[in-house]
């Protein structure tokens, strides 16, 4: 199988050669960008230099950066057909951007690398050679093998990276030394097979590929030194730890449990505390009637749930400006219907088995599943 790989690649190349008379593209380089305006031209210049003699293209996948990176990319694309840009609107996420870029490209080999020049582009020809000769199906640029390093990391970042790497390797039984690297090259056909199973959330696309392709991918690691960022600043905040746990969870449970649902349920249980606290205050301190107090408590809980979900659970699709208001109203509506579902289920369970806590729990579970499913459809719907 593996031995046939290069043949297949060159055969596909021959077809294009014959029909167009131009050299078939050998390599697509995918570069996710967010606020990298000042880096893209330099990266392109370096790629052009190191990839001389190879037929290649670069695809920048930009999430509508406020600094106008996509505009710079567009200007570059006007000047040089090797450059393409994808501008994504209403979406954020490193993994999703990489997946979209790879699927929009066409060369039999695809590389993913950062825009900020922390990855060593001079390794690309070597990576390409390994794929083309059939010696690997996935080549990982690795900081954690002999000859590689991450010396540009500060102590805190190094510690976090090492901890995450150990955790990922143990839990997902991944054999690669640096599964957290964002620098790799893969055969297109292999990627296309795995693509439907990959998570578009989060930022650990390589870990996802390695874990998903477990045992089926021939992987070779080559060392490189992780450099310093040229311009701008890192986009990875403390919240990426959450995305990382989410990916581990999804892979461990065969995609059965999503982090989003867990967060949604967690927010829901905090909401219960808010509800009781507000109910207590309204009833006992401000002397509203019980019905009024209960209503005030419910509205307070729904509002705080909405805000927490908007901040945490759906931070990649966060509603802003006026959409916060319309989203909140829709969330009230969804939760109100969810309450009927909750009470309905609890009643029917109680009818069959008069155990109050079992019926109550079944109702609450129904409510949270309903609220989750409907909020995903109507409140934080993908635009
Ligand atoms: N389209 C898109 N959308 N691109 C993004 C997003 C996003 O939401 N977030 C970050 N990027 C782009 C950046 O513009 C950059 O080109 C690349 O992804 C890496 O982001 P950085 O902000 O530079 O992250 P880093 O340097 O902290 O992290 C790097 O090191 C990690 C290993 O420790 C990345 O290479 C990671 O992939 C890598 O895992
Ligand atoms: Mn970086």
């Amino acid at each position: 199988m593996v031995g046939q790989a290069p043949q297949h690649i060159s055969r596909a190349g021959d077809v294009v050669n014959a029909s167009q008379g131009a050299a078939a593209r050998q390599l697509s380089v995918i570069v996710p960008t967010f606020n990298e305006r000042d880096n893209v031209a330099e990266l392109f210049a370096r790629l052009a230099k190191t990839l001389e003699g190879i037929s290649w293209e670069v695809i920048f996948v930009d999430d509508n950066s406020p600094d106008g990176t996509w505009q710079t990319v567009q200007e570059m694309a006007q000047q040089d057909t090797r450059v393409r840009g994808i501008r994504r609107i209403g979406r954020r996420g490193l993994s999703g951007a990489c997946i979209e870029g790879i699927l929009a490209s066409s060369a039999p080999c695809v590389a993913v690398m950062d825009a900020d020049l922390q990855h060593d582009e001079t390794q690309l020809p070597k990576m390409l050679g390994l794929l083309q000769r059939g010696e690997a199906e996935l080549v990982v640029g690795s900081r954690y093998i002999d000859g590689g390093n991450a010396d540009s990391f500060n102590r805190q970042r190094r510690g976090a990276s090492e901890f995450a790497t150990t955790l990922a390797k143990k839990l997902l039984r991944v054999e690669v030394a640096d599964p957290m690297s964002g620098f790799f090259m893969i055969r297109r056909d292999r990627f296309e097979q795995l693509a439907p199973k990959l998570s578009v959330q989060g930022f650990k696309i390589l870990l996802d590929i390695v874990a998903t392709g477990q045992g089926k991918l021939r992987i070779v690691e080559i060392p490189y030194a992780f450099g310093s960022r040229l311009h701008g600043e890192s986009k990875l905040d403390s919240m990426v730890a959450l995305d990382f746990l989410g990916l581990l969870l999804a892979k461990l449970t065969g995609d059965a449990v999503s982090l989003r649902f867990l967060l949604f349920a967690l927010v829901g249980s905090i909401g219960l505390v808010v509800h009781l606290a507000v109910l207590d205050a309204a009833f006992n301190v401000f002397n509203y009637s019980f019905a009024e107090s209960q209503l005030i408590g419910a509205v307070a809980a729904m509002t705080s749930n909405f805000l927490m979900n908007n901040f945490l659970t759906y931070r990649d699709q966060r509603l802003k400006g006026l959409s916060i208001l319309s989203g909140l109203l829709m969330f009230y509506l969804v939760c109100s219907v969810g309450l009927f579902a909750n009470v309905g289920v609890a009643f029917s369970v109680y009818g069959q088995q008069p155990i109050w806590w079992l019926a109550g729990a079944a109702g609450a579970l129904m409510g949270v599943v309903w609220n989750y499913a409907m909020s995903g459809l109507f409140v934080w719907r993908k635009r």
Side-chain angles (χ1 to χ4, degrees):
M1 186 74 223
V2 171
Q4 290 168 359
Q7 259 174 25
H8 166 79
I9 291 171
S10 55
R11 226 186 298 134
D14 289 341
V15 173
V16 181
N17 269 333
S19 59
Q20 293 191 341
R25 189 173 293 127
Q26 295 165 282
L27 173 65
S28 299
V29 182
I30 313 304
V31 182
T33 57
F34 194 76
N35 287 344
E36 304 284 3
R37 187 185 56 201
D38 299 330
N39 291 324
V40 285
E42 175 64 23
L43 176 64
F44 175 69
R46 292 196 196 181
L47 286 174
K49 189 163 163 232
T50 199
L51 294 175
E52 232 191 277
I54 294 168
S55 174
W56 61 282
E57 68 178 342
V58 59
I59 302 184
F60 293 96
V61 189
D62 187 66
D63 288 354
N64 205 23
S65 297
D67 80 346
T69 305
W70 54 273
Q71 256 166 334
T72 311
V73 169
Q74 232 165 43
E75 286 158 20
M76 287 161 56
Q78 274 288 331
Q79 306 290 322
D80 196 310
T81 53
R82 289 174 297 185
V83 180
R84 283 170 58 202
I86 296 176
R87 176 186 176 193
R88 307 198 309 163
I89 293 179
R91 275 177 291 167
R92 265 307 294 277
L94 185 46
S95 289
C98 295
I99 292 172
E100 210 159 312
I102 297 175
L103 295 179
S105 68
S106 57
C109 299
V110 248
V112 169
M113 67 187 297
D114 293 353
D116 55 8
L117 304 160
Q118 288 189 281
H119 294 157
D120 177 4
E121 79 286 345
T122 62
Q123 302 298 326
L124 289 171
K126 183 170 158 193
M127 296 166 113
L128 185 64
L130 284 163
L131 290 191
Q132 288 184 330
R133 290 191 303 275
E135 287 165 33
E137 296 171 317
L138 167 66
V139 184
V140 175
S142 181
R143 299 162 292 181
Y144 301 137
I145 56 175
D146 262 359
N149 70 68
D151 292 348
S152 60
F153 270 166
N154 60 26
R155 258 188 51 209
Q156 190 192 3
R157 180 78 198 254
R158 177 191 305 274
S161 176
E162 280 171 6
F163 177 67
T165 303
T166 314
L167 200 66
K169 279 162 71 171
K170 285 239 161 69
L171 284 178
L172 302 181
R173 298 204 182 78
V174 162
E175 308 267 310
V176 175
D178 191 3
M180 316 295 279
S181 165
F183 184 34
F184 62 93
M185 194 186 289
I186 187 168
R187 272 176 49 163
R188 157 167 315 280
D189 53 355
R190 284 287 171 271
F191 182 83
E192 301 267 355
Q193 284 164 351
L194 299 176
K197 295 200 193 111
L198 300 179
S199 158
V200 293
Q201 267 174 285
F203 64 109
K204 287 294 149 209
I205 183 175
L206 178 65
L207 175 63
D208 198 357
I209 290 175
V210 173
T212 307
Q214 198 77 283
K216 282 173 267 168
L217 274 177
R218 243 162 60 100
I219 305 174
V220 170
E221 287 189 86
I222 62 163
Y224 82 100
F226 191 68
S228 304
R229 178 173 258 283
L230 186 64
H231 296 291
E233 54 195 36
S234 171
K235 313 302 163 333
L236 303 190
D237 54 17
S238 51
M239 293 294 235
V240 300
L242 210 62
D243 284 331
F244 177 63
L245 291 180
L247 182 63
L248 289 185
L249 196 73
K251 291 293 137 186
L252 277 175
T253 61
D255 286 316
V257 180
S258 87
L259 176 75
R260 233 204 256 288
F261 180 71
L262 283 189
L263 287 177
F264 194 87
L266 176 76
V267 164
S269 32
I270 299 175
L272 183 63
V273 178
V274 172
H275 185 127
L276 293 178
V278 173
L279 169 67
D280 179 25
F283 190 56
N284 295 321
V285 182
F286 295 99
N287 296 319
Y288 284 101
S289 73
F290 180 75
E292 283 166 343
S293 306
Q294 171 72 352
L295 186 68
I296 296 170
V299 171
M302 285 189 291
T303 311
S304 78
N305 281 7
F306 172 79
L307 294 175
M308 282 187 283
N309 280 321
N310 198 41
F311 180 75
L312 195 68
T313 319
Y314 286 97
R315 71 190 188 93
D316 55 327
Q317 281 163 251
R318 198 171 283 164
L319 301 174
K320 293 183 186 128
L322 267 187
S323 333
I324 293 189
L325 206 64
S326 54
L328 179 62
L329 293 178
M330 188 52 92
F331 190 72
Y332 286 154
L333 192 67
V334 162
C335 294
S336 311
V337 180
L339 190 63
F340 278 104
N342 174 338
V343 174
V345 166
F347 251 78
S348 99
V349 171
Y350 193 78
Q352 288 170 19
Q353 200 103 88
I355 307 173
W356 67 268
W357 59 265
L358 186 68
L365 186 66
M366 177 63 212
V368 69
V369 169
W370 166 276
N371 287 352
Y372 177 68
M374 293 303 134
S375 314
L377 275 180
F378 296 113
V379 183
W380 289 278
R381 58 176 178 266
K382 293 237 184 266
R383 279 150 297 164

